[in-house]
Amino acid sequence: MNGQVLKNYLKHTNSFIRFLLVGMVNTGVGLSIMLFLMNVLELSYWISTFFGNGMGAVTSFLLNRTFTFRSDIDWRRGVARFFCVILICYSAAYSLGQAIAESLEASVHFSIQQNVSVLIGTIFYTVLNYIGQKYFVFKKSDLGTIQEGRN
């Protein structure tokens, strides 16, 4: 019974709430991978953030296509747009995160500064990614909007 209540609730939430739920899973996985690669394996900031985001990208596409935006976009077209948005958001958000973290006082240890940079970049990435996916990748077609209005 609780499963049905949750299913009904999620069905009626807006796309941003569903996006955040999917994003919590993807962010947890991606952020864990980033921090592991950077702090345990001592890989660079860019390699760590790239692979961390990459690992969540496929799952993100599938969940956002079916659950978040309930899109009927063609698979090939959607994947191409999705990865374009991901790369643009990744570059912009983590560059901005790095710039903000580097502006901190010199007394902040470099490894802490990099971790702060990752966290700031993640916040920017989430917002930019939602906008790109909603209005570019999984944009409702006119037919989908008309059909949605009838339901």
Side-chain angles (χ1 to χ4, degrees):
M1 176 138 176
N2 288 339
Q4 187 62 34
V5 170
L6 180 61
K7 185 177 178 180
N8 284 336
Y9 174 75
L10 292 175
K11 182 178 179 181
H12 297 291
T13 58
N14 71 31
S15 63
F16 188 68
I17 299 296
R18 292 189 305 268
F19 182 82
L20 289 177
L21 291 171
V22 168
M24 286 170 39
V25 173
N26 292 325
T27 299
V29 170
L31 194 54
S32 297
I33 291 169
M34 284 180 219
L35 295 174
F36 175 80
L37 292 174
M38 195 166 58
N39 295 310
V40 176
L41 299 183
E42 298 181 0
L43 296 178
S44 76
Y45 172 82
W46 289 107
I47 290 172
S48 300
T49 57
F50 183 81
F51 281 108
N53 275 301
M55 294 301 288
V58 172
T59 302
S60 180
F61 174 79
L62 295 172
L63 290 175
N64 282 320
R65 183 175 184 266
T66 58
F67 173 69
T68 305
F69 300 110
R70 299 178 182 125
S71 176
D72 60 354
I73 191 167
D74 176 67
W75 185 265
R76 290 176 300 265
R77 182 173 164 193
V79 167
R81 287 181 174 197
F82 178 82
F83 282 103
C84 180
V85 166
I86 292 289
L87 288 173
I88 290 169
C89 292
Y90 166 77
S91 299
Y94 289 100
S95 293
L96 185 57
Q98 187 176 41
I100 292 170
E102 285 176 354
S103 71
L104 298 173
E105 293 183 25
S107 62
V108 176
H109 191 270
F110 182 70
S111 66
I112 293 171
Q113 188 180 58
Q114 282 192 315
N115 290 330
V116 168
S117 177
V118 168
L119 295 174
I120 293 169
T122 299
I123 293 167
F124 283 116
Y125 178 83
T126 300
V127 173
L128 293 173
N129 191 25
Y130 174 77
I131 292 167
Q133 288 192 37
K134 181 173 175 89
Y135 296 106
F136 181 67
V137 178
F138 300 115
K139 181 180 173 185
K140 296 263 186 209
S141 65
D142 291 336
L143 179 59
T145 306
I146 293 167
Q147 289 174 347
E148 186 175 283
R150 290 183 187 161
N151 294 334

